[in-house]
Amino acid sequence: MVDGRKRLAVIGFGAMARNLRASFRRSGGVFDITAALVTETSALDASEGEDLRVFHDPLALVAWKPSLVVECASHSAVRTSVPVLLRAGISTVIVSIGSLSDPLLRSELEAAAVAGNSRLTVASGAIGGLDVLRAARLAELSSVQYVGTKPPAAWRDTAAEMLCDLSSVSGRTIFFEGNAGEASRLFPKNANVTAAVALAGIGFEKTKVTLVADAQTHLNSHKVTACGAFGDFNICLNNEPLGQNPKTSRLAALSIEQAIMRHFELVEM
Ligand SMILES: NC(=O)c1ccc[n+]([C@@H]2O[C@H](COP(=O)([O-])OP(=O)(O)OC[C@H]3O[C@@H](n4cnc5c(N)ncnc54)[C@H](O)[C@@H]3O)[C@@H](O)[C@H]2O)c1
C-alpha cells in the first residue's frame, strides 16, 4: 500500500508534469510529486519551486532515493537519464515513447533494468487498445496503419512547418506519409503514439503512418487500422488536448497516473 514514504519524482517539469502534480493535489494527496530533474536552463517560478526538490544531475536524484521516477520530458531525457536511474535500481515510467524507435537505446534500457533489478514501464500515453494489437500479432498481422490528426497549432515548432504552410491550412491537410521509424525521428514531440503502435504491432519499419493538420478540429485524433489472420479492427481516439500544451493529449497525462497506480498496485489489472 501507499504511504508517506513514497517519493515520486519527475524528469522534466512541463505541461504533463505540472498536470500530474495538480491532479494528485486535487485528489487529496495520496501521491505527490516532490522532486524534479530539470535542465540547468529550466525556469521554475518561485511558487512551483517551493516544495519541489530540484535536481540537474540524475546521480543527485539517485542519491535522493526516489520510489519511482516518471519521465515526461523528451527523447534526450530518456537517453541520458533513464539508463542511469534503472542501473541504480530506480524503477522508471517513460512517456516519450518515440525514443524507443532507436533499437540501441531499447537494448541499453533493458540491460540497465536487468543490472539494477528495476522496472521500466512504458506508459500507454495518448492511445489505447494496444493489448488487442499485441494479441493479434501472435498469429499474423498483415498491415498496421496509423493516422494522427491534430489542429495546425499542435504542429507548430515541428518538422511539419517545413512540410506545409500551417498558417494557410483551412481544412484537412496530409503533410507526412511514411513509416513509424521516420515519424518518431522527425516528430519527437508529436509522434509518440506511432512508436507505441509500432512496438505493440509489426515494428517501426512496417507500420505505415499518415500525419494530418486539420483546422476544423481542436482535438488530437489517433486512428489505428490493423488487418491480419485474426480479422481486422479500427481503434479511434479523439482526445482533448492538455491546456498548457496543444501537442499533448489529456489522456496521455492520465495514462501516467494510471501507470503510477499500477506500479504501486493500487488498481486492478
Ligand atoms: N506517449 C504519448 O502518447 C505522449 C503524448 C504526449 C506527449 N508525450 C511526450 O511526453 C513528453 C512531455 O510532454 P509535455 O507535454 O509535458 O512537454 P512540455 O514541452 O510541456 O514539457 C517537457 C519539459 O521537459 C523539459 N526537458 C526536455 N528535455 C529534458 C531533459 N533532458 N532533462 C530534463 N528536462 C527536460 C523541457 O524543458 C520541458 O520543460 C514529451 O517528450 C512528449 O513528446 C508523449
Side-chain angles (χ1 to χ4, degrees), residues 73-146:
S74 63
H75 288 202
S76 73
V78 176
R79 199 175 297 283
T80 56
S81 298
V82 177
V84 177
L85 298 169
L86 293 172
R87 262 195 304 277
I90 293 165
S91 292
T92 305
V93 176
I94 66 164
V95 74
S96 299
I97 310 172
S99 60
L100 302 180
S101 63
D102 176 354
L104 291 178
L105 180 59
R106 286 208 301 278
S107 308
E108 187 186 354
L109 292 166
E110 278 165 23
V114 170
N117 194 25
S118 53
R119 191 180 342 155
L120 174 69
T121 301
V122 179
S124 57
I127 188 78
L130 299 182
D131 50 341
V132 188
L133 201 51
R134 275 185 216 102
R137 80 173 171 199
L138 294 176
E140 189 191 320
L141 276 168
S142 46
S143 70
V144 179
Q145 172 141 38
Y146 165 78

Side-chain angles (χ1 to χ4, degrees), residues 10-24 26 33 38 42-44 48 70-74 95 189 220 240-254 256-257:
V10 287
I11 308 176
F13 203 68
M16 266 206 215
R18 286 185 162 90
N19 186 274
L20 183 63
R21 188 156 90 140
S23 178
F24 281 156
R26 269 197 311 276
I33 302 295
V38 299
S42 178
L44 295 181
E48 284 169 336
V70 181
E71 176 280 323
C72 21
S74 63
V95 74
K189 295 182 180 173
N220 294 337
E240 290 290 342
L242 209 52
Q244 288 159 309
N245 186 354
K247 294 179 174 59
T248 293
S249 300
R250 179 149 189 245
L251 187 63
L254 293 170
I256 301 179
E257 281 187 54

